[in-house]
C-alpha cells in the first residue's frame, strides 16, 4: 500500500458484519480478503457471513420493520438528508476507498460520490410525497381510498462496478418508503458499503433498519434469505444470468423484485451528427469506469460515410489516455476488476479480429502489476462477432458501419438486452423517430451519459424489471391498498 492516508482510511473502515446495529465477526469466524486490482495487494480482511449470519440479519430487519414503518416520513427523510450531508463531508474518503477497492480513477470516483449522494437527497424529498388518493366510485355508491404501505423487509444485492451508487440507489428509496433492509455487496468491493453503513449509523439510523452482510459465499446465504417467508422484496443489480436464477428463486415466495441487469448499448452516429460532439459522447459512454458500466456503449453503429473519420478521431483520443493506478494524476485507464476480466476482454478482441475487424489501437493487456487492458479501438467489426452479442465490460470501442436508418435500427435492436441507447443526429425528426423505434429503457440523444437520481433508471427485455430513481423509484418499495367505504351521504 502506497501512503499513510490510505492506511489510515482503510483502518477506519469497519471489518465486521453490521447486524442489528452491532459490528461483529461472522458466527463461524470466516473472513474474506479485499484486493486492490491495480496492485494485486490485499488491502483489508473482513468478516465473511455464513448462512446463519444472513438469517440473523433478516431477523434484525424483520424486528426493526414495524417501528421504522411507523416512523413519520419526515423523520425518515431527515435521516436520509443527514446521510447526504455527511457524505459531502466524507466525499474524499469515499472516493479514495472506491479507487482502492475497485480501481476507477479518482476523478470518476468523486463523480460517483456526487451521483450516489443524490439518491439520498432525492429520496429524502420523495419520502414525504408517497401519497395515495381518495375519490368516488363511478356508481357514486361509495368512496375509494388508495393508500401506500412499505412492502416489508428487503434484500438488496449490489455489484462491484459502482460500489456506492448501487447501494444508495436501493437503500435510499427503501428507507424513504419505510422498509428495512439486508444488503449484500459484491465480495470484490465490500468496503464502501461497510463505510456507508457506518455513515448511516452516524446519521442516527436506528439499529436493524440497515444490516450489511459481506460474504465470500453469496449463493447459500442469499438462498436462505430469499427462501425465508419474512422477506418481501428482492432488489438485485448485476449480470442477467444471476438475475434470472434469483428471479426463479424469488418466484417461490412471490416476492416483489427489481432487477437491474446487463446491457449491450448501441451508440448510433448518423451522417448528419455533429462529429465533435459524437466523439466526446463516445469517449464518455465507452471509457467511463474503464468500460465496466451496464450503461457502457457496447456497439458503435456509425454511418458508413463518417465511419472512417469517426474511427480516426476516437483512436487519436484513445491513444492519449494514460493507464495506471486510479490515484495517479491524469489516469483514465485504471485496472479492470480482476484477471478474469482481462482475459475475457482479450478473447472478445481476438474473436473480432479473427472475423475481420481492423485493430486501430490497443488490443492487449498491459504488462504491469494488476489487471490492466489497453484502451482499444476496433473498426469494421463483422456481424456474428461475439463482441456484438456480449457485454464487453472493458475499454474496447467496437465500430460497425451501417448504410441507412432502417439498417441502424435493425442492428441496434438485434440484442436480447434493452437498457440504454445513444443516438447522435442533428435532425429533430430523426431523433424523434429513434425515440419511438429503439427497444430501450433509456436513451441519450446527443449525450453520452444519462444517469441521474431524478430519472427512472432501468431496462427493457433481458436488461431488467422495475425502475430505480425518479418519481418511480420509491414505488418499488411500496405496496398499494385499496379500501371501499360507503357513500357518507347515503
Ligand atoms: P454478478 O456476478 O451478477 O454479481 C452481482 C451481485 O450478485 C454481486 O453482489 C454478487 O456477489 C452477487 N451474486 C452472484 N451470484 C449470486 C448468487 N448465486 N446468489 C446471490 N448473489 C449472487 O455481476 P457483477 O459482475 O458483479 O456486475 C456486473 C454486471 O452487473 C454486468 O452485467 C452489469 O451490466 C450489471 N449492472 C447492471 C446495472 C443496471 O443498473 N442495470 C448496474 C450496474 C451493473 P459475489 O460477486 O460476491 O458473489
Amino acid at each position: 500500500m502506497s501512503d499513510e492516508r490510505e492506511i489510515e482510511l482503510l483502518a477506519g473502515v469497519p471489518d465486521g458484519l453490521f447486524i442489528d446495529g452491532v459490528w461483529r465477526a461472522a458466527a463461524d469466524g470466516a473472513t474474506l480478503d479485499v484486493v486492490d486490482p491495480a496492485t494485486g495487494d490485499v488491502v483489508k480482511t473482513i468478516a465473511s457471513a455464513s448462512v446463519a449470519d444472513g438469517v440473523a440479519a433478516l431477523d434484525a430487519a424483520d424486528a426493526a420493520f414495524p417501528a421504522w414503518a411507523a416512523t413519520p416520513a419526515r423523520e425518515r427523510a431527515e435521516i436520509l438528508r443527514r446521510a447526504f450531508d455527511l457524505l459531502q463531508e466524507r466525499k474524499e474518503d469515499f472516493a479514495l476507498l472506491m479507487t482502492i477497492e475497485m480501481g476507477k480513477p479518482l476523478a470518476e470516483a468523486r463523480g460517483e460520490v456526487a451521483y450516489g449522494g443524490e439518491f439520498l437527497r432525492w429520496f429524502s424529498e420523495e419520502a414525504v410525497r408517497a401519497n395515495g388518493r381518495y375519490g368516488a366510485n363511478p356508481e357514486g355508491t361509495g368512496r375509494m381510498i388508495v393508500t401506500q404501505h412499505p412492502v416489508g423487509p428487503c434484500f438488496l444485492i449490489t455489484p462491484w462496478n459502482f460500489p456506492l451508487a448501487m447501494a444508495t440507489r436501493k437503500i435510499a428509496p427503501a428507507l424513504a418508503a419505510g422498509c428495512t433492509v439486508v444488503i449484500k455487496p459484491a465480495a470484490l468491493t465490500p468496503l464502501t458499503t461497510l463505510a456507508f453503513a457506518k455513515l448511516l449509523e452516524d446519521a442516527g439510523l436506528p439499529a436493524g433498519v440497515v444490516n450489511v452482510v459481506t460474504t465470500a459465499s453469496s449463493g447459500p446465504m442469499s438462498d436462505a434469505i430469499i427462501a425465508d417467508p419474512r422477506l418481501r422484496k428482492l432488489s438485485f443489480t448485476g449480470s442477467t444470468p444471476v438475475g434470472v436464477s434469483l428471479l426463479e428463486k424469488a418466484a417461490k415466495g412471490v416476492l416483489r423484485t427489481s432487477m437491474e441487469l446487463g446491457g449491450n448499448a448501441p451508440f448510433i452516429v448518423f451522417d448528419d451528427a455533429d462529429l465533435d460532439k459524437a466523439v466526446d459522447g463516445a469517449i464518455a459512454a465507452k471509457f467511463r469506469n474503464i468500460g465496466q458500466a451496464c450503461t457502457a456503449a457496447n456497439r458503435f453503429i456509425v454511418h458508413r460515410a463518417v465511419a472512417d473519420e469517426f474511427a480516426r478521431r476516437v483512436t487519436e483520443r484513445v491513444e492519449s489516455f494514460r493507464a495506471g493506478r486510479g490515484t495517479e494524476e491524469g489516469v483514465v485507464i485504471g485496472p479492470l476488476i480482476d484477471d478474469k476480466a482481462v482475459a475475457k476482454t482479450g478473447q472478445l478482441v481476438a474473436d473480432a479480429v479473427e472475423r475481420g475487424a481492423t485493430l486501430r489501437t490497443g488490443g492487449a493487456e498491459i504488462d504491469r502489476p494488476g489487471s490492466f487492458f489497453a484502451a482499444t479501438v476496433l473498426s469494421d467489426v463483422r456481424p456474428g462477432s461475439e463482441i456484438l452479442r456480449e457485454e464487453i465490460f472493458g475499454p474496447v470501442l467496437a465500430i460497425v458501419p451501417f448504410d441507412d436508418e432502417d439498417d441502424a435500427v435493425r442492428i441496434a435492436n438485434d440484442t436480447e438486452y434493452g437498457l440504454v441507447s445513444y443516438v447522435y443526429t442533428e435532425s429533430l425528426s430523426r431523433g424523434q423517430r429513434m425515440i419511438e423505434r429503439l427497444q430501450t429503457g433509456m436513451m441519450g440523444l446527443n449525450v453520452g451519459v444519462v444517469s441521474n437520481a431524478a430519472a427512472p433508471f432501468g431496462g427493457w427485455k433481458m436488461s431488467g424489471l422495475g425502475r430505480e430513481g425518479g418519481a418511480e423509484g420509491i414505488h418499488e418499495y411500496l405496496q398499494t391498498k385499496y379500501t371501499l367505504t360507503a357513500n357518507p351521504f347515503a
Side-chain angles (χ1 to χ4, degrees), residues 102-125:
M102 185 272 164
K104 67 182 70 192
L106 204 47
E108 291 195 37
R110 291 190 182 109
E112 181 173 346
V113 177
Y115 172 55
E118 283 306 325
F119 290 100
L120 300 168
R121 176 153 64 177
W122 176 262
F123 285 108
S124 77
E125 294 157 349

Side-chain angles (χ1 to χ4, degrees), residues 30-380:
T31 58
L32 78 90
D33 290 338
V34 183
V35 170
D36 177 344
T39 61
D41 295 341
V42 172
V43 295
K44 196 166 173 94
T45 299
I46 61 166
S48 175
S50 62
V51 169
D53 296 314
V55 173
L58 184 58
D59 291 343
D62 185 51
F65 175 66
W68 182 247
T71 300
R74 178 69 73 201
E75 264 179 54
R76 296 198 303 261
E78 279 168 2
I79 292 173
L80 285 172
R81 178 64 207 210
R82 272 203 295 283
F84 171 79
D85 292 338
L86 280 176
L87 187 60
Q88 308 316 306
E89 285 171 22
R90 300 179 194 177
K91 66 182 173 201
E92 285 301 316
D93 287 351
F94 273 90
L96 181 56
L97 191 56
M98 283 194 280
T99 295
I100 293 171
E101 69 171 341
M102 185 272 164
K104 67 182 70 192
L106 204 47
E108 291 195 37
R110 291 190 182 109
E112 181 173 346
V113 177
Y115 172 55
E118 283 306 325
F119 290 100
L120 300 168
R121 176 153 64 177
W122 176 262
F123 285 108
S124 77
E125 294 157 349
E126 290 295 282
V128 294
R129 311 200 201 302
N131 296 324
R133 60 181 197 266
Y134 176 88
N137 64 357
E139 299 75 19
T141 54
R143 296 292 180 267
M144 304 168 85
I145 305 168
V146 180
T147 46
Q148 300 293 334
H149 307 265
V151 297
C154 305
F155 185 32
L156 316 177
I157 302 179
T158 53
W160 51 263
N161 59 347
F162 291 97
L164 179 68
M166 297 304 95
T168 55
R169 206 163 79 172
K170 295 184 190 307
I171 292 174
L175 266 44
C179 294
T180 54
V181 310
V182 175
I183 180 164
K184 190 208 80 60
L188 291 166
T189 59
L191 302 181
T192 304
T193 307
L194 293 170
F196 184 64
K198 174 81 177 63
L199 181 150
L200 289 173
E201 197 183 13
D202 296 344
L205 191 71
V209 175
V210 169
N211 304 276
V212 183
V213 278
T214 50
T215 183
S217 52
S218 50
M221 189 199 73
S222 303
D223 288 355
I225 295 174
I226 293 167
D228 193 307
R230 295 171 300 173
L231 186 74
R232 291 317 313 144
K233 158 104 195 177
L234 169 65
S235 178
F236 171 78
T237 297
S239 61
T240 297
V242 173
V244 168
S245 94
L246 293 174
L247 271 174
E248 284 169 3
K249 292 170 188 167
K252 292 212 176 71
V254 194
L255 293 184
R256 287 278 297 274
T257 55
S258 300
M259 293 279 145
E260 296 286 354
L261 308 178
N264 181 0
F267 187 109
I268 306 173
V269 181
F270 284 101
D271 52 353
D272 59 11
D274 177 326
L275 222 50
D276 289 335
K277 286 188 199 156
V279 169
D280 284 347
I283 298 296
K286 179 72 250 181
F287 294 101
R288 192 168 71 107
N289 227 34
I290 319 132
Q292 302 167 114
C294 55
T295 51
N298 219 53
R299 298 167 293 152
F300 288 80
I301 302 164
V302 184
H303 193 279
R304 204 175 292 279
V306 293
D308 199 55
E309 178 61 8
F310 178 81
R312 193 188 65 70
R313 290 203 209 176
V314 289
T315 302
E316 200 177 286
R317 290 278 290 274
V318 162
E319 284 177 339
S320 73
F321 288 168
R322 181 163 167 223
R325 190 166 186 252
T327 47
E328 292 162 25
E329 194 61 34
V331 161
V332 177
I333 301 298
L336 294 185
I337 190 65
D338 57 17
D339 290 346
K340 271 192 291 186
V342 172
K344 188 196 153 197
T345 310
Q347 276 160 19
L348 290 175
V349 171
D351 172 78
V353 171
E354 250 166 54
R355 291 175 197 255
T358 305
L359 178 64
R360 300 253 181 170
T361 188
E365 60 187 273
I366 302 174
D367 187 18
R368 54 171 290 159
S371 309
F372 286 84
F373 196 91
T376 300
V377 177
L378 294 167
S379 59
D380 271 315

